[in-house]
Amino acid sequence: MTLRSKLMAAAALLSFSFASAQAVAEETYTLTLAETWGPNYPILGDTNRSLKSMVEKMSEGRLKIRIDSSNKHKAPFGIFDMVKAGQYDLGHTASYYYKGKIPNSMFFTTVPFGMTAPEQYAWFYYDEGFELAQKVYGEHNMLSFPGGNTGVQMGGWFRDEIESLEDLKGLKMRTPGFAGEVMSDIGVAVTNIPPGELFTALERGTIDALEWVGPALDLPMGFHQIADYYYAGWQEPSAELQWLVNKDTWNKLPEDLQEVLRVAMRTAAYDMYIQTMHMSGEAWSTIKEDYPNVKFRTFPDEVIEALRSSTEKLLGQMAEKDPLSREIIESQRDYLQQIRPWTNISDRAYLNNSVIE
Amino acid sequence: MTLRSKLMAAAALLSFSFASAQAVAEETYTLTLAETWGPNYPILGDTNRSLKSMVEKMSEGRLKIRIDSSNKHKAPFGIFDMVKAGQYDLGHTASYYYKGKIPNSMFFTTVPFGMTAPEQYAWFYYDEGFELAQKVYGEHNMLSFPGGNTGVQMGGWFRDEIESLEDLKGLKMRTPGFAGEVMSDIGVAVTNIPPGELFTALERGTIDALEWVGPALDLPMGFHQIADYYYAGWQEPSAELQWLVNKDTWNKLPEDLQEVLRVAMRTAAYDMYIQTMHMSGEAWSTIKEDYPNVKFRTFPDEVIEALRSSTEKLLGQMAEKDPLSREIIESQRDYLQQIRPWTNISDRAYLNNSVIE
């Protein structure tokens, strides 16, 4: 073999090895993510920024995420359609926004008188929840993953105290979605008002009450300045957001990057639950200190009973109409019957036994 | 340039690129992990297997973990020393096992009448907890990360009902650690008995009561067969395990693998909290169904008050002895004062309002 042919052979070998090593090192993916929220939205938007950071660091830049907020894509409630069609690879939204399109999507966010956040995560990850969510979203070419939990949402701000079921009849209240249907069923005059007009509507008496989220997101809205009564929640004990992933996108990712994305979503979702808790603690502490007019109340028993009975009736109607809705409702109900007695003798007993006001 | 020198230059160039690309693709790390638990230990051991699986999949095998259980390393309570010395890269244990060596390690597990699991995660990740843990472990060449939470632990199994503080005086009970010191302070005859002899000791009356964990880990021990009274917890509202990481190990990992390890630990820790909740729900449901003799009880108010007052006294003594203990105790107390009022109007009010027995 001449020197020339030896060198040619060496170069060919090196070239081959170099190309395959380079392929592993350099193949990168940039996924687009559409979020329902506006730019720099606190907590909900933080969750996507945290997802992006974890994914990009863990993959050393092989997997990148580009986030578009609603000012960019102009379709805050169009996330479902855009991810289904592959216009975006990922979406961050709440499942119950799509109840009009697919009624059984509602159950993956929260249900009145349903599970708390840890109970619902247990149902999702260790019982049937995750599988049922894929059944619903799989038909639409998407995977669905938990996307962060707000914890127990408050029952809302009321200008006057509610001392009986009668006090709620005809009361003008902004409360959207399924909780609105339940409120309407017990006689509340439910109205829908855009978020930007809520403060003025409450201040001028266009509405008597409204429900938003909880202290962390309520404080910046200023409702505590014009309503004295802050009621305990019943309607959204664990509102979970979701990440939707286009199935074609998921399938084209190599296994290691699928795992990077899955684990980062799981961590970011749990983190949002803890971050909301932290920020609600801070905000409630601020409200109590600066606005002694604000009084915490729980609804009278007869109101709770009426709300619970209307919830059962409306869930029953949903189960009648759709077999998959029935399957999900029954799975959640059975799980709650199993886990809540444990929550009662652990968390509830502990909190009742070690009261710090 | 001759053909020969052209080829030499090409080969040199290719060789250089190949070497650096290969370095990225092939550099692997195998970390050793010593766990306090025996092989295949439920829940606590599952958490390490889950960590290993996530890390290896996400890194495509570049970061591997080899787990040694206590049957292998023979030092279940020597994890601290072994990771400090670099005999193991990682350890999975509970911080309060090392109270004898470093008293302020105790606070990162749990404290009687302290924070619940979500409250404590909020303190760890969004307030001062994480930083304080590094202050304690940093002096020993280690990083400390949350390693999974058992949620509220039960107050224990009692053969007779406790109706007054008097009933506890002289009662022979197995309850280790700080809770044991508190129990001893209010007059309980605290004894320590190896886990394998607990059932027989309770059955034969060598002890009158014992505290273990909660339904998921108590059920296999069989205590419900010989004790009728299961008491609500006060002593460990959120026992968090920990991963210890040797600092030299951490520093030699490239940034992407540090992030892979950090995120996998964070997810696995949260998951353990949810898995314990799920399994305790199942186990409590089984106990209730198969053993109608078992009655859930909460301690009388005067017992709770005595326990709380002794806890305060003993924490005060710890604060006196060590400035860093004082700093941690005050940080936790301040945080609890801020967050618990929110837990009260959210989770506690919701659980009290929507009772499912």
Side-chain angles (χ1 to χ4, degrees), chain B residues 267-315:
Chain B
T267 300
Y270 282 135
D271 273 351
M272 191 187 112
Y273 169 51
I274 301 301
Q275 188 197 359
T276 310
M277 182 140 202
H278 170 70
M279 292 183 68
S280 284
E282 281 186 334
W284 177 234
S285 162
T286 300
I287 294 172
K288 278 197 308 170
E289 201 167 305
D290 297 349
Y291 293 85
N293 59 304
V294 172
K295 297 165 199 73
F296 167 71
R297 289 286 184 273
T298 57
F299 287 116
D301 287 350
E302 65 168 3
V303 169
I304 293 291
E305 280 156 32
L307 291 168
R308 189 195 281 273
S309 138
S310 282
T311 297
E312 286 304 312
K313 187 179 81 180
L314 296 178
L315 288 177

Side-chain angles (χ1 to χ4, degrees), chain B residues 95-275:
Chain B
S95 193
Y96 66 178
Y97 294 150
Y98 309 97
K99 182 172 176 288
K101 192 180 295 281
I102 36 168
N104 48 35
S105 69
M106 182 188 95
F107 309 107
F108 302 105
T109 309
T110 186
V111 174
F113 299 104
M115 295 175 272
T116 63
E119 290 171 344
Q120 188 163 294
Y121 278 124
W123 176 71
F124 257 110
Y125 291 134
Y126 296 95
D127 195 64
E128 301 176 336
F130 195 83
E131 191 190 333
L132 287 167
Q134 305 328 309
K135 220 166 173 175
V136 168
Y137 284 92
E139 287 179 23
H140 301 277
N141 197 38
M142 292 184 278
L143 296 165
S144 167
F145 297 87
N149 204 298
T150 64
V152 176
Q153 295 202 6
M154 292 298 288
W157 294 94
F158 290 71
R159 298 197 68 160
D160 295 309
E161 192 164 4
I162 303 301
E163 293 178 292
S164 67
L165 187 53
E166 200 50 40
D167 287 351
L168 282 173
K169 308 270 185 204
L171 190 99
K172 289 177 302 239
M173 180 170 186
R174 182 267 180 191
T175 177
F178 187 73
E181 293 175 35
V182 175
M183 276 293 204
S184 176
D185 195 60
I186 71 165
V188 172
V190 173
T191 61
N192 208 350
I193 289 174
E197 298 165 27
L198 281 173
F199 183 89
T200 309
L202 186 62
E203 193 180 29
R204 297 199 182 151
T206 314
I207 52 175
D208 308 303
L210 59 82
E211 173 264 328
W212 192 239
V213 181
L217 292 168
D218 289 7
L219 180 61
M221 301 290 277
F223 306 132
H224 55 284
Q225 296 164 23
I226 46 171
D228 286 351
Y229 297 95
Y230 203 21
Y231 274 84
W234 58 276
Q235 79 287 9
E236 302 200 13
S238 58
E240 183 76 34
L241 306 179
Q242 67 173 345
W243 276 296
L244 292 173
V245 183
N246 179 282
K247 265 198 187 172
D248 304 327
T249 297
W250 180 262
N251 290 335
K252 81 177 179 205
L253 291 177
E255 276 182 29
D256 61 323
L257 296 184
Q258 284 179 346
E259 183 73 354
V260 161
L261 183 57
R262 184 191 75 82
V263 174
M265 288 190 291
R266 193 148 167 148
T267 300
Y270 282 135
D271 273 351
M272 191 187 112
Y273 169 51
I274 301 301
Q275 188 197 359

